[in-house]
Amino acid sequence: MLTSWVVMPTCLPLVRRRCHACASERFLTSGKFRVNANHKLIDVWLLALCSACGETTKLTVLERTNVRSVRPGLLDRAHDNDPGLAAESLLDPVVRRRNRIALDWDGAWRLDTGGWDHLDREVIDVSVRFAAPIPVRPVRLIAEGCALSRAEVGRLITEGNLVSAVRLSGRLSSDFTFTLKR
């Protein structure tokens, strides 16, 4: 029987970028936007506050874009400070590359295993789904979901009792499956 786990975001991740005022490298995004129009061109920024000094930085979402080429509803969502739009903007690789930022997901996600009834089985087949592309070490997910230590998970991989089609070392942010034999 296949058990399904979901890695879900609990809040917006921290933005990793150097602060020009205090040299800190962490910014909190509140989900607030600033919209500026100049004739037929529009700019949209996501505002972020330095976690150390509180300095505001603007993360460019749209820059000098013709108003007619903006997706319908996007401006309304920006004016309403839609938290969903803030999450979409942070996850957009174009926005991250344009602003030269990285995301820090520490403490901003949780693992939903659907209960602990799978722990007493001899063989566990698990499908792990990501609700957002959150880079997490599979060893950490398996340890948390099966109530094991990371060292124990590493030992199970070495012994061949924990197998997957994907490499379990490093970080993953896409769906995968694994089989655990006890």
Side-chain angles (χ1 to χ4, degrees), residues 28-104:
L28 303 165
T29 53
S30 62
K32 298 204 181 296
F33 289 89
R34 176 155 183 228
V35 180
N36 185 34
N38 186 4
H39 300 287
K40 293 181 182 179
L41 300 178
I42 196 159
D43 295 305
V44 176
W45 298 287
L46 176 61
L47 302 178
L49 299 174
C50 176
S51 61
C53 70
E55 185 73 20
T56 300
T57 190
K58 297 185 292 190
L59 305 175
T60 303
V61 177
L62 295 177
E63 184 174 37
R64 296 285 172 215
T65 305
N66 191 311
V67 175
R68 292 178 189 244
S69 66
V70 176
R71 297 190 317 250
L74 180 89
L75 290 179
D76 292 334
R77 291 175 71 194
H79 283 296
D80 294 339
N81 293 319
D82 180 17
L85 179 60
E88 289 172 25
S89 299
L90 287 175
L91 293 176
D92 186 352
V94 174
V95 171
R96 290 199 316 259
R97 189 172 37 255
R98 177 187 298 145
N99 291 286
R100 291 185 226 113
I101 62 171
L103 301 179
D104 184 355

Side-chain angles (χ1 to χ4, degrees), residues 15-27 57 100:
V15 174
R16 297 188 65 209
R17 176 184 190 175
R18 193 167 185 89
C19 178
H20 69 279
C22 72
S24 171
E25 293 189 3
R26 303 247 190 284
F27 283 84
T57 190
R100 291 185 226 113

